[in-house]
């Protein structure tokens, strides 16, 4: 039987130095894999968005429109995937950055304080007056 008041309980403490949550900065291999996965997810997201936009254009196009013709749809899909990969590599949408902020929090800084400082200028206005 486990005694609740026993200090050597089977569950690790949140402040215990041996737990993964209290570990030092992230392993470089983990950071590289997380970055690659985040960029691939952003590429998938952009690719899916382009596919949906092209599908919507095809549905709204008239019968004699060039957008209704499915002849080169496979080549257009390949081009969309290449554009999505290139945009994700440049982190154009910031999706990979948002994922990495959650997976790789800044070392030594509390998660809540670090994320609040980074998100102040996320939605900067697009129509700034010059």
């Amino acid at each position: 039987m486990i005694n609740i008041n026993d200090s050597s309980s089977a569950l690790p403490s949140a402040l215990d130095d041996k737990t993964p949550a209290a570990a030092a900065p992230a392993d470089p291999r983990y950071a590289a894999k997380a970055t690659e996965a985040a960029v691939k997810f952003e590429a998938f997201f952009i690719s899916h968005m382009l596919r949906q936009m092209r599908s919507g254009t095809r549905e709204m196009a008239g019968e004699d429109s060039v957008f209704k013709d499915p002849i080169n749809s496979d080549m257009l899909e390949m081009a969309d995937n290449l554009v999505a990969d290139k945009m994700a590599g440049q982190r154009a949408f910031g999706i990979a950055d948002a994922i990495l902020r959650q997976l790789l929090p800044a070392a030594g800084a509390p998660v809540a304080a670090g994320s609040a400082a980074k998100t102040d200028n996320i939605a900067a206005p697009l129509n700034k007056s010059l």
Side-chain angles (χ1 to χ4, degrees):
M1 180 175 214
I2 297 176
N3 185 1
I4 296 175
N5 296 325
D6 186 14
S7 62
S8 63
S9 71
L11 299 175
S13 168
L15 300 175
D16 187 11
D17 289 339
K18 297 175 186 172
T19 60
D27 181 25
R29 290 179 294 164
Y30 172 76
K33 285 184 179 183
T35 302
E36 181 183 0
V39 170
K40 283 184 180 182
F41 178 78
E42 184 169 349
F44 170 77
F45 182 84
I46 295 170
S47 175
H48 184 72
M49 184 184 68
L50 290 173
R51 188 177 312 118
Q52 291 298 317
M53 288 176 14
R54 195 170 299 281
S55 173
T57 302
R58 199 174 303 120
E59 291 296 322
M60 293 187 324
E63 290 300 321
D64 58 344
S65 175
V66 70
F67 297 111
K68 199 76 162 177
D69 193 11
I71 289 177
N72 290 325
S73 63
D74 54 344
M75 296 303 276
L76 287 172
E77 185 175 339
M78 189 183 318
D80 287 345
N81 288 336
L82 289 173
V83 168
D85 289 341
K86 190 69 167 174
M87 289 177 75
Q90 297 173 353
R91 297 190 182 177
F93 285 23
I95 296 169
D97 295 331
I99 292 170
L100 289 174
R101 275 195 302 269
Q102 292 180 3
L103 292 178
L104 304 171
V111 175
S115 64
K118 292 179 184 177
T119 59
D120 289 341
N121 295 326
I122 285 179
L126 297 176
N127 54 356
K128 293 180 184 177
S129 59
L130 297 174

